[in-house]
């Protein structure tokens, strides 16, 4: 007589238990981040978690985080891009050159009005990044040159292009309006409106995602669980807005008399809004479109993907074009945030972006990784840097600590996979 297994009854506790087991690594990462915050808060007598520093922390992570948004899909397809830091740096010096010299040379004697100049310079920067992504993607996807070799060569080539573009000098990029892209804030009352719009978008995205999964026959988690998860993120975001709205040392200067976009250190930072837009759009693409599903399928099993009719070359080409576009966005933010285009622009950002993805659970073997995980990974990297800087730890030891954290994270990834 054979034993018959009894199906486990579906209860809210069982559903929560399955969700926790399925996302154990993500929850462990979030807990680790909270522990880091509490540790630095204790070591800095609360300065670390002050509203002002909290606002700066999220602003500091934006360049790395925007790069990691694209890097997730690059690694998911089984590739790597070592050129993202230098490409963003090259875009930053090109944009700085347009801001300081090109518009005046083309439209003498005063150049374009500052607002139009800032908009056109940003579009030029994003265009340069995208075109470079097209070139690099074409070589990798259609000429079958390994991504590691192509992007390593690109890193050197872009370093040379930066030196040629700057002629060894620093180029100012702190003109009116343009500097607000990386250093500006949205007025506090408008920040709440932005928050309300994002909450609505979060819930619409959740329902669209469920609709897509149902359409393609994927199993759906209980509706109440998705509502609870989305509501949790909505509360987190509204809490963040509350904190940054009170980050100014002079709250009376943050009233409704300010312009909608200003530089008074209160309200949502503009670069954080840009990051959120990039992350939400790419996260939706990766989870709910054919492009995203094919990227994960290619990274999971390239041969099976080819046999099932997926156009591998076109998908990998598209992933690198998207990476180039995000390098363009990151380069514009970099030029505005730093205020200059320099010969060292973008140095080291490629390693930070890769580390953020791996910390966030993206597998170096391909096929696994999420945009949300990469955002948490980028936040952990920024949290470590910010906390160590407040404690005046020498930069040499900052590299040692970040390297050790990365190795521990990879070991934890291997451990969880073995015991899953």
């Amino acid at each position: 007589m054979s034993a018959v297994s009894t199906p486990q009854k579906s209860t809210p506790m069982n559903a929560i238990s399955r969700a926790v087991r399925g996302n154990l690594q993500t929850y462990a990462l979030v807990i680790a981040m909270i522990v880091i915050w509490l540790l630095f808060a204790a070591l800095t007598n609360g300065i670390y978690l002050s509203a002002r520093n909290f606002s700066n922390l999220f602003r500091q992570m934006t360049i790395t985080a925007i790069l990691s948004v694209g890097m997730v899909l690059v690694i998911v397809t089984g590739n790597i891009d070592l050129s993202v830091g230098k490409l963003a740096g090259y875009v930053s010096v090109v944009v700085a050159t347009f801001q300081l010299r090109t518009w005046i040379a083309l439209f003498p004697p005063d150049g374009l009005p500052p607002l139009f100049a800032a908009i056109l310079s940003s579009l030029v920067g994003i265009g340069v990044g995208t075109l470079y992504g097209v070139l690099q993607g074409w070589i990798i996807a259609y000429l079958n040159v390994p991504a590691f070799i192509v992007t390593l060569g690109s890193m050197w080539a872009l370093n040379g292009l930066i030196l040629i573009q700057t002629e060894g000098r620093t180029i100012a990029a702190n003109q009116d309006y343009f500097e607000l892209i990386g250093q500006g804030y949205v007025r506090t009352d408008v920040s709440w409106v932005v928050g309300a719009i994002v909450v609505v978008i979060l819930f619409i995205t959740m329902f669209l995602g469920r609709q897509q999964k149902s359409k393609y026959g994927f199993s759906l988690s209980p509706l109440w669980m998705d509502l609870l998860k989305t509501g949790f993120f909505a509360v987190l975001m509204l809490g963040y807005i509350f904190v940054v709205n009170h980050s100014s040392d002079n709250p009376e200067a943050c009233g409704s008399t300010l312009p909608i976009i200003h530089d008074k250190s209160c309200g949502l930072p503009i670069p954080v809004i840009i990051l959120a837009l990039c992350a939400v759009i790419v996260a939706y693409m990766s989870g709910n479109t054919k492009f995203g599903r094919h990227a994960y399928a290619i990274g999971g099993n390239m041969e099976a993907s080819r046999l099932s009719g997926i156009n591998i070359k076109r998908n990998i080409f598209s992933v690198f074009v998207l990476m180039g576009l995000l390098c363009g966005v990151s380069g514009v933010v970099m030029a505005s945030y730093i205020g200059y285009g320099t010969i060292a622009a973008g140095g080291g950002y490629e390693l930070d972006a890769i580390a953020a993805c791996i910390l966030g659970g993206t597998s170096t073997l391909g096929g696994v990784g999420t945009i949300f995980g990469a955002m948490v990974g980028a936040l952990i990297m920024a949290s470590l840097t910010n906390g160590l800087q407040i404690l005046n730890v020498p930069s040499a030891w900052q590299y040692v600590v970040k390297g050790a954290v990365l190795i521990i994270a990879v070991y934890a990834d291997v451990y969880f996979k073995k015991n899953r």
Side-chain angles (χ1 to χ4, degrees):
M1 184 175 179
S2 61
V4 178
S5 62
T6 304
Q8 192 176 21
K9 188 178 178 181
S10 179
T11 64
M13 285 308 297
N14 287 338
I16 293 173
S17 176
R18 283 196 299 272
V20 170
R21 287 198 303 272
N23 299 280
L24 189 58
Q25 187 177 358
T26 302
Y27 296 132
L29 199 64
V30 173
I31 291 171
M33 185 177 67
I34 294 172
V35 170
I36 290 171
W37 286 357
L38 293 176
L39 177 64
F40 280 127
L43 293 174
T44 60
N45 296 321
I47 295 174
Y48 185 79
L49 287 183
S50 66
R52 182 67 177 274
N53 190 58
F54 211 66
S55 177
N56 287 335
L57 174 62
F58 277 78
R59 202 164 53 131
Q60 288 172 359
M61 68 172 273
T62 52
I63 297 172
T64 298
I66 292 172
L67 293 176
S68 66
V69 167
M71 187 65 77
V72 169
L73 290 183
V74 171
I75 298 177
V76 157
T77 57
N79 290 288
I80 195 71
D81 192 340
L82 300 175
S83 68
V84 294
K86 283 300 175 185
L87 179 53
Y90 178 63
V91 168
S92 74
V93 298
V94 168
V95 169
T97 304
F98 270 80
Q99 279 291 108
L100 187 66
R101 301 170 186 159
T102 307
W103 299 130
I104 291 178
L106 292 176
F107 303 97
D110 298 324
L112 292 170
L115 178 59
F116 288 111
I119 293 171
L120 290 179
S121 298
S122 301
L123 292 176
V124 167
I126 294 171
V128 168
T130 306
L131 282 176
Y132 200 90
V134 169
L135 174 64
Q136 199 158 246
W138 178 72
I139 295 172
I140 294 168
Y142 292 103
L143 299 185
N144 297 318
V145 183
F148 179 84
I149 301 299
V150 175
T151 57
L152 181 63
S154 283
M155 186 169 68
W156 286 335
L158 287 163
N159 204 28
L161 289 174
I162 290 173
L163 291 172
I164 293 170
Q165 185 71 38
T166 59
E167 297 175 338
R169 289 175 289 189
T170 297
I171 306 171
N174 55 354
Q175 296 80 9
D176 290 344
Y177 292 105
F178 184 76
E179 65 178 356
L180 293 175
I181 296 172
Q183 303 178 36
Y185 298 81
V186 174
R187 204 171 63 202
T188 52
D189 54 345
V190 180
S191 296
W192 285 117
V193 175
V194 172
I197 293 172
V198 173
V199 168
V200 172
I201 292 174
L202 280 175
F203 280 97
I204 290 175
T205 305
M206 182 206 75
F207 282 112
L208 286 177
R210 289 180 63 87
Q211 195 177 35
Q212 287 287 323
K213 286 180 180 176
S214 176
K215 179 180 175 182
Y216 290 103
F218 292 104
S219 61
L220 294 174
S221 54
L223 177 60
W224 64 265
M225 183 176 286
D226 280 348
L227 287 171
L228 192 65
K229 194 188 301 180
T230 307
F232 175 72
F233 287 120
V235 169
L236 274 185
M237 191 201 57
L238 294 176
Y240 171 71
I241 293 176
F242 176 82
V243 171
V244 297
N245 275 356
H246 294 80
S247 59
S248 173
D249 295 331
N250 183 15
E252 294 179 358
C254 295
S256 58
T257 55
L258 281 176
I260 291 178
I261 296 175
H262 59 84
D263 59 355
K264 300 299 181 186
S265 299
C266 49
L268 275 174
I270 298 293
V272 174
I273 295 176
I274 295 173
L275 166 62
L277 283 173
C278 293
V280 168
I281 291 171
V282 178
Y284 182 80
M285 288 170 61
S286 66
N288 299 284
T289 67
K290 189 185 290 184
F291 164 72
R293 288 192 294 275
H294 287 181
Y296 282 90
I298 291 169
N301 191 325
M302 186 174 290
E303 185 60 20
S305 302
R306 186 182 66 78
L307 293 173
S308 63
I310 294 176
N311 190 328
I312 294 174
K313 291 182 184 294
R314 187 177 64 192
N315 274 273
I316 291 179
F317 172 75
S318 301
V319 166
F320 276 93
V321 173
L322 177 63
M323 185 72 254
L325 185 148
L326 290 169
C327 285
V329 175
S330 187
V332 172
V333 174
M334 184 187 295
S336 175
Y337 180 66
I338 298 173
Y340 296 94
T342 69
I343 57 173
Y349 278 101
E350 63 279 343
L351 298 181
D352 284 345
I354 293 170
C357 294
I358 295 173
L359 273 173
T362 303
S363 171
T364 53
L365 300 177
V368 177
T370 64
I371 305 299
F372 173 72
M375 294 299 96
V376 178
L379 187 54
I380 287 180
M381 297 294 289
S383 299
L384 286 170
T385 303
N386 182 278
L388 293 171
Q389 286 174 344
I390 292 176
L391 291 172
N392 289 322
V393 174
S395 58
W397 284 106
Q398 292 182 30
Y399 288 120
V400 172
V401 171
K402 288 198 288 187
V405 169
L406 181 60
I407 293 170
I408 292 170
V410 173
Y411 171 74
D413 178 43
V414 173
Y415 176 81
F416 282 126
K417 282 176 181 168
K418 275 185 180 176
N419 294 278
R420 187 169 292 172

